[in-house]
């Protein structure tokens, strides 16, 4: 009679073999394993105790547990047998499905080729659509498909022979297919995209997507690490939310253009490659251009100014590039810059114009059924901003921040943050001359809860070309006719200013900033050959869209966002 060993401290029911060197962990498992076999059971509590026969009470309890293990094993065997039988039947069905070849019935009406968003007038007719499988469900010989073609979603039903082919039984998410069938209104009480579904009579696969480990659903999910989502952005944009944001972006650009044209601005297309700086040289992307140093543009403003004498008020939609090492949720290294420039205006006119364009654009989006539906989907609580927008002077904003206890981190003369002995940042009140930090600015805007024009910034915080505010600088600080439009939840979305119109004043600004005016000759000439009071602005499209669609980060509002270290895919 062989001995079977059980060590309740160090044994294992998974890897043990019942020997003294590899004992089992539980008496119940040993009884289950050797059911009906005449063996001698030896058990101990721990390595310090000798092996001995189990007590009657422990045997009684173990026998009951062993019976549970036997039932569990029998159930598992039953399931395995059923699954094996089902696999065999599926394999047989799959093999038989290869013999089924779909042929389009020539006696049926000729199908109408169309896009999903054009289906409504074609109910009860035979139509032909192509797209990608967005959702897939098989149920008792019927296959339900939600097809996506970029214009919308369509529910399609495959039954009978159309659901029995080899292609039908091996369908995968994101495969591209074409479907032909009769479009029917869904029965009362049931729902489907568009309120109708396609009863398919003929279809075929155009491009099969992988199954198994490489299946689309296995690549990522909404809880995946952001770095994985960034790497697989080409897949992420196939999702309903991401594609809705991009679709709303398209509507937004159309609405912006319509609003600007209505305001009598003409669209122009400035260059991306430049040899001058607009916002300071520290954030320029440099490159060699036929042996010369050139840069990716930070802003098209200077070029827009040159258009005023020939084309009147102008705007552009252009990519701008900032080489800032900023990883905040509202910064991108490449962003879409909507910029406008207007002649013969005042600072008050400029802010009124910006406000008008913002409100007109939102009104157009809400008046259009498609864009209104997208806003409702992405930002159900959205309400259009009321006019007039609040206007808050920079000096008043400094006082407001201090009154509300909103501080900022102290900095030394080199701009480095100062910390205490424990490494904690030292917080101080704001003072006139401080650049209001993003966090404080956003907190103030969120508390106010309305769009705010923050205006009149100190000259040392702004670009060289900005016009000085009348009555400042005489024995005190110089302020500029500049403004930022702040939106709740996002912060700054527009920056604008009046430009220096006087030739000598501009030359003095070059000198003050240490800028060589040689490369700016064409810009300076605007003040030499018929100057005028003028101003303009730049709007960050991604930031505006983040506000409109209630997105946490502007990275969700760009097709393929770029930030420090990210230039793929």
């Amino acid at each position: 009679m062989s001995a079977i060993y059980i060590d309740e401290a160090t044994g294992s029911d998974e890897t043990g073999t019942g020997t003294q060197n590899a004992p089992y962990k539980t008496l119940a498992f040993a009884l289950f394993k050797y059911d009906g076999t005449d063996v001698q059971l030896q058990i101990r509590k721990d390595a310090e105790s000798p092996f001995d026969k189990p007590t009657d009470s422990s045997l009684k309890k173990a026998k009951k547990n062993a019976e549970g293990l036997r039932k569990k094993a029998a159930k598992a065997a039953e399931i395995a047998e059923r699954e094996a039988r089902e696999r065999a039947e599926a394999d047989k069905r799959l093999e038989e499905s290869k013999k089924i070849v779909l042929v389009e019935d020539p006696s049926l009406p000729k199908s109408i080729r169309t896009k999903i968003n054009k289906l409504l007038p074609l109910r009860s007719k035979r139509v032909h659509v192509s797209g990608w499988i967005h959702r897939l469900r098989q149920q008792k010989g019927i296959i339900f498909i939600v097809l996506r073609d970029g214009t919308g979603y369509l529910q399609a039903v495959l039954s009978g022979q159309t659901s029995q082919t080899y292609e039908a039984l091996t369908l995968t998410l994101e495969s591209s297919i074409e479907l032909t069938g009769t479009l029917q209104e869904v029965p009362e009480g049931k729902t489907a995209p568009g309120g109708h579904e396609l009863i398919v009579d003929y279809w075929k696969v155009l491009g099969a997507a992988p199954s198994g480990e490489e299946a689309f659903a296995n690549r990522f999910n909404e809880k995946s690490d952001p770095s994985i989502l960034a790497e697989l952005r080409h897949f992420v944009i196939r999702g309903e939310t991401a594609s809705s944001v991009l679709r709303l972006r398209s509507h937004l650009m159309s609405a912006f253009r319509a609003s600007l044209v209505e305001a009598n601005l003409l669209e122009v297309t400035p260059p991306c490659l430049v040899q001058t700086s607009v916002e300071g040289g520290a954030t320029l992307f440099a490159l060699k251009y036929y042996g010369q140093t050139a840069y990716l543009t930070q802003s098209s403003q200077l070029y827009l100014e040159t258009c005023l004498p020939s084309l009147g008020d102008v705007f552009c939609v252009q990519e701008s590039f900032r080489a800032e090492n900023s990883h905040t949720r509202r910064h991108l290294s490449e962003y879409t810059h909507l910029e406008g420039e207007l002649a013969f205006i005042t600072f008050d006119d400029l802010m009124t114009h910006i406000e008008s364009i913002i409100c007109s654009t939102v009104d157009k989006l809400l008046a259009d059924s498609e864009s209104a539906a997208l806003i409702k989907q992405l930002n159900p609580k959205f309400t259009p901003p009321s006019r007039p927008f609040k206007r808050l002077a920079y000096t008043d904003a400094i006082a407001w921040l201090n009154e509300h206890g909103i501080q900022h981190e102290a900095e030394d003369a080199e701009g480095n943050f100062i910390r205490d002995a424990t490494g904690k940042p030292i917080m101080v009140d704001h003072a006139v001359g401080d650049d209001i930090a993003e966090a404080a600015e956003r907190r103030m805007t969120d508390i106010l809860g309305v769009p705010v024009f923050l205006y009149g910034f100190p000259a040392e915080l702004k670009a060289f070309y900005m016009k000085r505010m009348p009555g400042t600088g005489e024995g005190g600080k110089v302020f500029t006719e500049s403004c930022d439009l702040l939106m709740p939840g996002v912060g700054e979305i527009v920056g604008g200013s009046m430009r220096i119109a006087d030739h000598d004043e501009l030359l003095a600004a070059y000198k003050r900033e240490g800028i060589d005016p040689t490369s700016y000759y064409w810009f300076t000439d605007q003040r030499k050959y018929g100057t005028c009071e003028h101003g303009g602005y730049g709007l960050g499209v991604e930031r505006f869209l983040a506000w409109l669609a209630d997105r946490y980060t502007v990275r969700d509002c760009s097709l393929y966002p770029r930030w420090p270290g990210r230039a793929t895919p």
Side-chain angles (χ1 to χ4, degrees), residues 457-472:
F457 294 91
E460 64 266 26
L461 300 180
K462 290 299 181 178
F464 72 92
Y465 54 77
M466 293 189 181
K467 182 182 178 181
R468 294 186 175 200
M469 189 172 282
T472 68

Side-chain angles (χ1 to χ4, degrees), residues 436-464:
I436 300 174
E438 176 191 342
E441 182 183 82
R442 194 168 60 242
R443 189 174 170 194
M444 177 182 70
T445 311
D446 289 348
I447 291 172
L448 294 172
V450 293
V452 178
F453 272 116
L454 189 58
Y455 70 91
F457 294 91
E460 64 266 26
L461 300 180
K462 290 299 181 178
F464 72 92

